Amino acid sequence: SGSTRRWNPATAAAAAATAEAPHALRKEQQPRTGPLGVGDRVILARGYESDDVVKLGPLKVGVVGEVVEVLDGPEPLKVLANGELWHYERGALVREGQEQEPISLHPGARVDASNARLGLLVVRGKDWFRGDQDGGAGNVGVVMIVDDIPEGRIGVLWPPSSTARRYSAGAGGQYELQIAPGRTQPLLPPGTLVNASNATLGLLVERGRDWHRGNDDGGPGSVGVIVDFVDDCLVVNVFWPLVRTLANHRVGTNGMFDLQAASLQDTSQRAKAASSLASAQPRACPLDVGDRVILAHGYESDEAVKLGPLKKGVVGEVVEVLDGPQPLKVLANGELWHYERGALVREGQEQPREAEYKGSPG
């Protein structure tokens, strides 16, 4: 009958050829969306080609890799490229052929999947609708959860109230947050002991010299982020994303230092922020007018600092706090001098022994 289908060698061969490549045909018609997963072919996201740490890995401009495993932690994507395995944060990669928008880490830029990262400092953005949940207009929060960024959401903690909530970073076309004005993610050389003078909001940290909390951080190598200061800045609150825990840690109490700046495996986030706005001043436990101060370890031998009135054993007083890279106006031995924040600590404040302080002035 007219409805009978007869075998035809030419027709069968064409059908077989089509059947041999169903995945290729589907890829062209329905590109994959959503979070990157095992088997995805990936390239570097725009802006990461010049990242100092990412440049150490196998992915370069024009090189395509494949996701072979998805793990926990800040750099969950294990990628094979040019025969080498490397771990990347989610924001560093996109699918091969995916359209990209320019990445922006400048103050006022909206926070979205292209720039959200652990420790990013943020304020309310154009689509904010939550009243004073952030503590008031201009209050700075810290990005502490990025697991949900593929769905367009991030977690932010607002000091000093420690209110923590999830916010839209693209979900439903809403962008509730933007990068805080004049601020970026702070930097310290990996392994530097964290103390009250160099602890800054958003600093990425790991267990340090005097760690005594077992696996409260999620285990060796886990990375946390400083979200607030307590106890005259001798203690900091740290959020540990791997175990979703907020905990207090010593940064000078009784001469104990629980934390150090996070190691090389996680500096792609810090290097990214540094390259975008190296001059920004992160929020530290702030010295203020009336504070009695001495030089921080390592600054006694700084050539520029040696010209000023503060020497080893000399105590000065902060008389004014200004803007700029040397905001602290100090009176010492009858002479006024301007200092950067990192050069000074409060009188009597415990500091790491100089041999253990790996940072450098500036």
Side-chain angles (χ1 to χ4, degrees):
S1 70
S3 62
T4 301
R5 307 186 91 180
R6 296 183 180 276
W7 181 79
N8 181 301
T11 303
T18 301
E20 286 174 1
H23 300 296
L25 289 174
R26 278 201 296 272
K27 273 191 177 180
E28 291 176 5
Q29 296 166 2
Q30 298 178 348
R32 283 190 61 177
T33 59
L36 292 172
V38 173
D40 280 330
R41 289 170 55 83
V42 292
I43 58 173
L44 289 178
R46 183 172 293 149
Y48 278 82
E49 302 90 341
S50 58
D51 184 285
D52 289 336
V53 176
V54 171
K55 282 194 290 189
L56 300 174
L59 283 179
K60 318 288 183 187
V61 176
V63 175
V64 179
E66 182 177 337
V67 178
V68 296
E69 192 174 0
V70 179
L71 308 166
D72 293 322
E75 295 181 334
L77 300 174
K78 189 174 183 180
V79 173
L80 177 65
N82 285 338
E84 185 178 354
L85 289 171
W86 198 263
H87 292 263
Y88 293 90
E89 60 182 84
R90 286 193 178 276
L93 305 177
V94 295
R95 287 185 178 86
E96 181 186 18
Q98 177 179 316
E99 291 290 333
Q100 301 186 60
E101 295 181 1
I103 189 169
S104 177
L105 280 165
H106 290 281
R110 75 182 190 189
V111 177
D112 57 26
S114 73
N115 58 16
R117 62 201 63 242
L118 185 67
L120 187 67
L121 305 183
V122 299
V123 294
R124 59 173 68 174
K126 71 180 184 70
D127 296 322
W128 181 264
F129 65 98
R130 300 174 188 262
D132 286 339
Q133 190 182 88
D134 56 352
N139 196 38
V140 177
V142 188
V143 174
M144 58 185 237
I145 298 176
V146 293
D147 294 0
D148 298 332
I149 192 58
E151 286 74 46
R153 297 188 183 280
I154 58 175
V156 175
L157 185 141
W158 303 98
S161 68
S162 293
T163 298
R165 297 285 188 276
R166 279 182 168 79
Y167 299 95
S168 293
Q174 300 292 302
Y175 299 91
E176 295 186 68
L177 304 168
Q178 63 185 35
I179 294 177
R183 302 170 188 270
T184 187
Q185 202 160 357
L187 302 171
L188 276 181
T192 301
L193 284 180
V194 177
N195 60 62
S197 65
N198 64 19
T200 51
L201 192 67
L203 181 68
L204 300 185
V205 296
E206 63 189 11
R207 56 176 66 179
R209 185 191 74 188
D210 299 317
W211 181 262
H212 67 113
R213 303 286 293 268
N215 286 331
D216 284 0
D217 57 349
S222 291
V223 175
V225 56
I226 293 178
V227 295
D228 205 0
F229 309 98
V230 294
D231 193 20
D232 291 330
C233 304
L234 297 178
V235 173
V236 294
N237 278 334
V238 175
F239 181 77
W240 299 99
L242 197 60
V243 287
R244 301 290 179 95
T245 298
L246 187 66
N248 291 341
H249 298 284
R250 304 167 298 180
V251 290
T253 303
N254 298 322
M256 295 295 175
F257 303 90
D258 293 338
L259 306 169
Q260 64 183 31
S263 301
L264 179 64
Q265 63 176 330
D266 301 293
T267 55
S268 59
Q269 298 164 44
R270 298 197 301 279
K272 186 72 185 164
S275 65
S276 68
L277 193 64
S279 62
Q281 296 294 316
R283 175 193 164 193
C285 181
L287 291 170
D288 207 347
V289 173
D291 281 334
R292 290 171 55 84
V293 293
I294 59 174
L295 288 176
H297 276 326
Y299 278 84
E300 300 91 341
S301 57
D302 183 277
E303 294 300 324
V305 170
K306 282 195 291 187
L307 300 175
L310 282 180
K311 316 289 182 186
K312 192 169 185 177
V314 175
V315 180
E317 181 178 335
V318 179
V319 296
E320 193 174 1
V321 179
L322 308 166
D323 293 322
Q326 295 179 324
L328 300 175
K329 190 174 182 179
V330 174
L331 177 65
N333 286 337
E335 185 178 353
L336 289 171
W337 200 264
H338 291 265
Y339 293 89
E340 61 184 82
R341 286 191 179 277
L344 306 177
V345 296
R346 290 180 178 85
E347 180 188 21
Q349 178 177 304
E350 292 287 345
Q351 300 184 66
R353 293 189 294 275
E354 188 165 356
E356 295 176 315
Y357 185 79
K358 300 179 183 179
S360 59

